[in-house]
Amino acid sequence: MKYFLFLLISLLLLNTNTNAQNTGEDQLGAWYMYFGTNQISDKLSIHSEAQFRFYEVASTFNQLLLRTGLNYHINRNAIVTGGYAYINTDGTFEDIPTEENFNEHRVFQQFILKNIVGKFKFEHRYRLEQRFISTQVDNFTAHRARYRLQLTYPINEKWFLNAYDEVFINLQEPIFGQNRLYGAVGYNVKNNFSIQLGYLKNHFTGINFDRFQLGVIYNTDLRKSKKGS
């Protein structure tokens, strides 16, 4: 496992070079992320999420994303969610032009379906998004669909591997939005608390971004505090 971590970090560092343009495409950026599922009843939970994205590993702000939603657990393998997200984006690696900066209010609906084949855990996520975007020069609405196939392989009780591919399809021109390919190693600190260290290849039409990712997943069960009060 130590060799795997060393190889992963080495590959991330090798992706950097000195040919940076104003898009930041040739820089190794970073996403620092928190995800949580907070159970409030047997069927309902609250999704909480915060992401801080940078064009470089520790500097040059790119995006802040805050997302929440209400989950309805049909059963342990099927979840329906409706929610809201706020996104603030600096769309260029340099400070200019200022019209590249924009805010977005987003409403989303999603369905998650899980299954297990052997030791492999599969998760299918289907999401629709209605995006209300405001820039310095215009306000507009956009719609898109997303599908993510995620695969998790437990190495033992503590360590696991995680990978996914997610495609974004716009419901207006242009049809293709982006594709995200991700691989990571994870560690279960506790039953409800895990950490992932990974690499993301974010592909847009004509441009690609390489992103180091550090994710923290912390789930809570608010039913227990009620019972103990």
Side-chain angles (χ1 to χ4, degrees):
M1 183 55 61
K2 292 181 179 179
Y3 292 114
F4 181 85
L5 287 171
F6 175 78
L7 178 61
L8 178 63
I9 295 171
S10 298
L11 288 172
L12 291 173
L13 294 176
L14 286 173
N15 270 285
T16 59
N17 58 62
T18 59
N19 297 321
Q21 302 173 355
N22 65 347
T23 62
E25 180 181 10
D26 297 320
Q27 293 290 327
L28 174 64
W31 291 7
Y32 302 101
M33 307 173 296
Y34 153 79
F35 302 95
T37 299
N38 310 283
Q39 202 77 31
I40 57 176
S41 72
D42 291 344
K43 289 292 186 179
L44 297 176
S45 65
I46 297 173
H47 174 80
S48 54
E49 178 180 345
Q51 298 192 32
F52 304 89
R53 301 172 177 177
F54 296 88
Y55 283 106
E56 299 173 291
V57 172
S59 63
T60 316
F61 169 78
N62 174 207
Q63 191 173 71
L64 166 68
L65 185 150
L66 303 174
R67 181 158 38 214
T68 188
L70 181 64
N71 303 316
Y72 178 75
H73 299 255
I74 300 172
N75 55 50
R76 62 184 301 173
N77 295 318
I79 305 170
V80 176
T81 305
Y84 164 80
Y86 169 76
I87 302 96
N88 174 254
T89 302
D90 183 344
T92 179
F93 179 64
E94 298 178 347
D95 291 334
I96 55 175
T98 55
E99 60 263 24
E100 290 292 337
N101 300 330
F102 62 89
N103 292 314
E104 177 182 344
H105 298 276
R106 184 184 302 172
V107 179
F108 71 95
Q109 307 82 38
Q110 75 178 25
F111 175 61
I112 290 177
L113 185 63
K114 303 177 182 180
N115 66 292
I116 299 177
V117 179
K119 293 185 67 175
F120 291 92
K121 300 178 182 179
F122 290 85
E123 181 183 284
H124 307 265
R125 189 179 74 185
Y126 308 86
R127 179 182 290 175
L128 290 174
E129 295 178 330
Q130 299 81 51
R131 309 172 65 201
F132 306 94
I133 301 169
S134 176
T135 73
Q136 280 80 1
V137 296
D138 193 17
N139 298 317
F140 60 95
T141 302
H143 303 269
R144 71 183 178 194
R146 300 167 55 169
Y147 168 69
R148 187 186 74 182
L149 174 60
Q150 179 172 262
L151 176 64
T152 303
Y153 179 80
I155 299 172
N156 52 42
E157 291 184 359
K158 289 293 186 180
W159 294 96
F160 62 92
L161 301 176
N162 183 263
Y164 71 72
D165 187 78
E166 183 172 19
V167 61
F168 294 62
I169 301 298
N170 296 320
L171 303 183
Q172 62 278 315
E173 296 292 340
I175 298 301
F176 176 75
Q178 60 179 286
N179 190 84
R180 295 177 181 174
L181 182 62
Y182 171 77
V185 58
Y187 181 76
N188 293 313
V189 181
K190 300 166 70 173
N191 288 337
N192 65 337
F193 178 37
S194 64
I195 299 173
Q196 290 189 33
L197 177 68
Y199 166 77
L200 175 77
K201 190 73 170 181
N202 200 177
H203 172 68
F204 297 84
T205 300
I207 192 169
N208 295 279
F209 294 99
D210 299 291
R211 295 294 181 255
F212 162 80
Q213 288 201 351
L214 177 62
V216 174
I217 299 93
Y218 181 61
N219 302 320
T220 61
D221 190 343
L222 302 178
R223 297 171 300 175
K224 294 180 181 179
S225 60
K226 292 179 180 179
K227 292 177 183 178
S229 62

